[in-house]
Coordinates of all heavy atoms in Angstrom, one line a residue:
K111 N 129.1 87.5 77.3 CA 130.5 87.4 77.7 C 131.3 88.5 77.1 O 132.5 88.7 77.4 CB 131.1 86.1 77.5 CG 130.4 84.9 78.3 CD 131.1 83.6 78.0 CE 130.5 82.5 78.8 NZ 131.1 81.2 78.5
E112 N 130.8 89.2 76.0 CA 131.6 90.2 75.3 C 131.7 91.5 76.1 O 132.4 92.4 75.7 CB 131.0 90.5 74.0 CG 131.2 89.4 73.0 CD 130.6 89.7 71.6 OE1 130.1 90.9 71.5 OE2 130.6 88.8 70.7
G113 N 131.0 91.6 77.2 CA 131.1 92.8 78.0 C 130.0 93.9 77.6 O 128.9 93.5 77.3
E114 N 130.4 95.1 77.7 CA 129.5 96.2 77.4 C 128.9 96.2 76.0 O 127.7 96.4 75.9 CB 130.2 97.6 77.6 CG 129.3 98.8 77.6 CD 128.2 98.8 78.6 OE1 128.5 98.2 79.7 OE2 127.1 99.4 78.4
S115 N 129.7 95.9 75.0 CA 129.1 95.8 73.6 C 128.1 94.7 73.5 O 127.1 94.9 72.8 CB 130.3 95.6 72.6 OG 130.9 94.4 72.9
G116 N 128.4 93.6 74.1 CA 127.4 92.5 74.1 C 126.1 92.8 74.8 O 125.0 92.5 74.3
R117 N 126.2 93.5 75.9 CA 125.0 93.9 76.7 C 124.2 94.9 75.9 O 122.9 94.8 76.0 CB 125.4 94.5 78.0 CG 125.8 93.5 79.1 CD 125.8 94.1 80.5 NE 126.9 95.0 80.6 CZ 128.1 94.7 81.0 NH1 128.4 93.5 81.3 NH2 129.1 95.7 81.1
K118 N 124.8 95.8 75.1 CA 124.0 96.7 74.3 C 123.2 95.9 73.2 O 122.0 96.3 73.0 CB 125.0 97.7 73.6 CG 125.5 98.7 74.6 CD 126.4 99.7 73.8 CE 127.0 100.8 74.8 NZ 127.9 101.8 74.1
V119 N 123.8 94.9 72.6 CA 123.1 94.1 71.6 C 121.9 93.4 72.3 O 120.8 93.3 71.8 CB 124.0 93.1 70.9 CG1 123.3 92.2 70.0 CG2 125.1 93.9 70.2
L120 N 122.2 92.8 73.5 CA 121.1 92.1 74.2 C 120.0 93.1 74.6 O 118.8 92.7 74.5 CB 121.7 91.4 75.4 CG 122.6 90.2 75.2 CD1 123.1 89.7 76.5 CD2 121.8 89.1 74.5
N121 N 120.3 94.3 75.0 CA 119.3 95.3 75.3 C 118.5 95.6 74.1 O 117.3 95.8 74.2 CB 120.0 96.5 75.9 CG 120.5 96.3 77.3 OD1 120.1 95.4 78.0 ND2 121.5 97.1 77.7
Q122 N 119.1 95.7 72.9 CA 118.4 96.0 71.7 C 117.4 94.8 71.4 O 116.3 95.1 71.0 CB 119.4 96.2 70.6 CG 118.8 97.0 69.4 CD 118.4 98.4 69.8 OE1 118.9 99.0 70.7 NE2 117.4 98.9 69.0
Y123 N 117.9 93.6 71.6 CA 117.0 92.5 71.3 C 115.8 92.5 72.3 O 114.6 92.2 71.9 CB 117.7 91.2 71.6 CG 118.7 90.8 70.5 CD1 119.7 89.9 70.7 CD2 118.7 91.4 69.2 CE1 120.7 89.6 69.7 CE2 119.6 91.1 68.2 CZ 120.6 90.2 68.5 OH 121.5 89.9 67.5
T124 N 116.0 92.9 73.5 CA 115.0 93.1 74.5 C 113.9 94.1 74.1 O 112.7 93.9 74.3 CB 115.6 93.4 75.9 OG1 116.5 92.5 76.3 CG2 114.5 93.5 77.0
R125 N 114.4 95.2 73.5 CA 113.5 96.2 73.1 C 112.6 95.7 71.9 O 111.4 96.0 71.9 CB 114.3 97.5 72.7 CG 115.0 98.2 73.8 CD 115.6 99.5 73.3 NE 116.4 100.1 74.4 CZ 117.7 100.1 74.4 NH1 118.4 99.4 73.5 NH2 118.4 100.6 75.4
Y126 N 113.2 95.0 71.0 CA 112.5 94.5 69.9 C 111.4 93.5 70.4 O 110.3 93.5 69.9 CB 113.4 93.8 68.9 CG 114.4 94.7 68.1 CD1 115.6 94.2 67.8 CD2 114.0 96.0 67.9 CE1 116.5 95.1 67.1 CE2 114.9 96.8 67.2 CZ 116.2 96.4 66.8 OH 117.0 97.2 66.2
L127 N 111.8 92.6 71.3 CA 110.8 91.7 71.8 C 109.7 92.4 72.6 O 108.6 91.9 72.6 CB 111.6 90.7 72.7 CG 110.7 89.5 73.3 CD1 110.1 88.7 72.1 CD2 111.6 88.6 74.1
T128 N 110.1 93.5 73.3 CA 109.1 94.3 74.0 C 108.0 94.8 73.0 O 106.8 94.7 73.3 CB 109.7 95.5 74.7 OG1 110.7 95.0 75.6 CG2 108.7 96.3 75.4
V129 N 108.4 95.3 71.9 CA 107.4 95.7 70.9 C 106.5 94.6 70.4 O 105.3 94.8 70.3 CB 108.2 96.3 69.6 CG1 107.2 96.7 68.5 CG2 109.0 97.5 70.0
V130 N 107.1 93.4 70.2 CA 106.3 92.3 69.8 C 105.2 91.9 70.8 O 104.0 91.7 70.5 CB 107.2 91.1 69.4 CG1 106.3 89.8 69.1 CG2 108.1 91.4 68.2
L131 N 105.7 91.8 72.1 CA 104.8 91.4 73.2 C 103.7 92.5 73.4 O 102.6 92.1 73.7 CB 105.6 91.2 74.5 CG 106.6 90.0 74.5 CD1 107.3 89.9 75.8 CD2 105.8 88.7 74.2
A132 N 104.1 93.7 73.3 CA 103.2 94.8 73.5 C 102.1 94.8 72.5 O 100.9 95.0 72.8 CB 103.9 96.2 73.6

Side-chain angles (χ1 to χ4, degrees):
K111 294 180 179 179
E112 288 182 4
E114 186 63 28
S115 60
R117 281 195 293 271
K118 288 182 179 180
V119 176
L120 290 176
N121 288 338
Q122 200 63 28
Y123 289 161
T124 303
R125 295 187 185 100
Y126 293 149
L127 186 57
T128 300
V129 175
V130 174
L131 292 178

